[in-house]
Amino acid sequence: GFTPEATVPERWSLTYPGADFSSATVTMTDINGGPVATDIVSNNANIADNTLVWKPSAASMPSAEFDDVVYNVTVSNIGVNGAPVSHSYTVTVINPNRLLEPLKLSGSTTPPDSGARYYFNPVEHAEEYEFDVSRQTAATWTEGAEDATSAFVTDNTHASYNLRTAFTWNDSYSQSYDDVEFWDTGSKAFHLAFPNRSTAPEQSFIINRTLIPQSGAEITFRMRRGYMATGTVLETQYSTNGGASWTTLANGTFWGDTNAPAEEMFSTRTVALPATNQNTLVRFLFHQPVLTGVFDIITYPTLPLGVFIDGISFSNTDWLESISPSSYASTSNHVNLDSTSAGGPLVAGNSYILRLRPRVGNHWFPYSPPLSVTPVAASSLNPYELWFRGTYPVIGNFDGDYDGDGIPNGVEHVFGLNPMDNSDATAALRPRLVDGNLELSHAVIAGGSVAGEYSFTLLADSWQPAPVTISADNIATASIPLHTPACYLRWKVVEP
């Protein structure tokens, strides 16, 4: 069936009571029939129901980062009641942290400084959305594991110990350490260690700031090894898809050694960061790729285990400094850039970065691609441009007809209609008889200028002016006498 990629086991198995797997063989292929190498690990009857265990070759199993990966499995020559049988099934490896349709904001890149809407296609089953307005600025800060900056770190460590710790240790086994404080600056450091020996789960934390590495970007941090068993590793990684997948940096890997003592002091580590020039996350991952035995907190609760990291900084790197994230209901199809979401009045000429992310299944998905916008003074725009850029930025130009109702966008503007709703057109075109005249009548926006025209033939040069009056309460009326031969009557709006 469907299996999240993160939980796909290293070893696969098939179990059946009383089955004889001693001569069984395993065949695995991908959806295109390509073979997946397998190695049978166990085919003996041991404990509980009889089980066949095999290990697929990871090298022949592609990632499900962007697409589902389907495997066809056939186990042949199984002995059941003295007769050989086979069993086939399908496994579909999925990435549950991937949206099938990417989220994208649409709107004007030069909105009025009075505010603007930005539209998006809603995500099925979304529980809410978060709209983020940011500024791109240099990453001059240092992350020092202090509690005041906890919002900028995602803690993926086990609940049995603290990621931020003020650990102290006076070595009574081999030597007296001069530096008994396992933090470098402030009062705490990040601590990554295994909570128990049996599972050695991955331990990690993410710098929860969206980075934009430039040429020559580097990560610099202070690190102090505790006791790390051989095969244990700390990897510095980056992601350009919101954490859906991670790449280990070339010089950001630090292995443990069972025979090496804990380091006496912190030292500086510098790791090159590729110039992605796009939204990038960084994390520190502590794990043992092949479980061979670890130093764990339950067994050695007083020893400095794992690694301690402090003073993380970035050079030649920008970041998106969030101004004021705001929440939108699951039923929303647009967000608003205004003085509330921007944390104050929009400033013409300043750049703002807009992003949106959905929450589905209580999981926050990555932000949409950033949309960079630079407001212009609302006073510099004509009435249609102000309306178009600010409220309906996806409809197009004055003469277009976005909703296909037969009324151009410019006419919908002057008549106060919704250019994205084709059900509101009939009111503006509903004729009536008043005092021997055929009339069209509808409200127009304050200051709106409209004209009326009539034609007997609909030919381009056949239209003639029809009288129009606009009342004090902005009701426009176009009329022609009923004794006029059968004709066509229409509204006309001239672009301001």
Side-chain angles (χ1 to χ4, degrees), residues 117-330:
R117 286 182 184 177
Y118 290 85
Y119 290 85
F120 60 92
N121 290 325
V123 174
E124 188 176 8
H125 305 305
E127 293 150 1
E128 68 174 312
Y129 298 93
E130 182 181 75
F131 177 47
D132 180 75
V133 181
S134 304
R135 300 185 186 95
Q136 183 171 333
T137 185
T140 57
W141 39 264
T142 297
E143 179 53 64
E146 306 306 315
D147 293 338
T149 59
S150 60
F152 292 109
V153 173
T154 300
D155 182 356
N156 292 322
T157 61
H158 197 272
S160 61
Y161 73 99
N162 295 322
L163 172 63
R164 298 176 192 81
T165 182
F167 185 87
T168 60
W169 180 59
N170 192 351
D171 179 16
S172 59
Y173 294 94
S174 59
Q175 58 183 307
S176 178
Y177 273 36
D178 294 332
D179 190 354
V180 300
E181 298 174 346
F182 277 72
W183 64 89
D184 189 55
T185 59
S187 60
K188 292 184 177 181
F190 294 114
H191 182 206
L192 295 175
F194 295 122
N196 58 70
R197 179 173 295 183
S198 59
T199 59
E202 291 185 349
Q203 305 292 294
S204 69
F205 67 92
I206 300 171
I207 303 299
N208 191 26
R209 305 188 198 226
T210 301
L211 305 168
I212 305 176
Q214 313 296 322
S215 177
E218 291 181 328
I219 311 171
T220 300
F221 56 95
R222 301 278 286 171
M223 174 180 156
R224 186 176 180 182
R225 277 191 181 96
Y227 288 103
M228 290 174 59
T230 301
T232 301
V233 62
L234 172 72
E235 297 183 50
T236 314
Q237 300 180 319
Y238 74 99
S239 172
T240 57
N241 54 18
S245 64
W246 295 90
T247 301
T248 299
L249 295 167
N251 60 337
T253 300
F254 308 93
W255 290 95
D257 184 346
T258 302
N259 299 316
E263 291 180 332
E264 292 197 34
M265 62 186 65
F266 279 86
S267 58
T268 299
R269 312 299 170 99
T270 300
V271 178
L273 187 60
T276 63
N277 289 308
Q278 58 182 305
N279 290 6
T280 301
L281 293 175
V282 166
R283 79 168 177 176
F284 294 84
L285 171 67
F286 183 78
H287 67 132
Q288 191 174 74
V290 179
L291 185 60
T292 58
V294 300
F295 297 131
D296 64 286
I297 294 175
I298 290 180
T299 307
Y300 305 104
T302 63
L303 295 184
L305 306 180
V307 293
F308 298 82
I309 300 169
D310 206 349
I312 304 168
S313 63
F314 296 83
S315 58
N316 298 318
T317 302
D318 291 344
W319 74 298
L320 298 186
E321 182 179 9
S322 180
I323 297 173
S324 179
S326 50
S327 178
Y328 280 78
S330 60

Side-chain angles (χ1 to χ4, degrees), residues 341-359:
S341 60
L346 296 173
V347 178
N350 283 3
S351 293
Y352 299 85
I353 309 296
L354 313 183
R355 300 180 299 167
L356 184 71
R357 65 174 181 169
R359 182 170 64 88

Side-chain angles (χ1 to χ4, degrees), residues 401-424:
D401 182 12
Y402 181 83
D403 56 9
D405 60 1
I407 299 182
N409 298 329
V411 176
E412 300 222 30
H413 168 234
V414 174
F415 282 83
L417 303 176
N418 183 346
M420 301 177 70
D421 179 6
N422 61 14
S423 66
D424 64 352

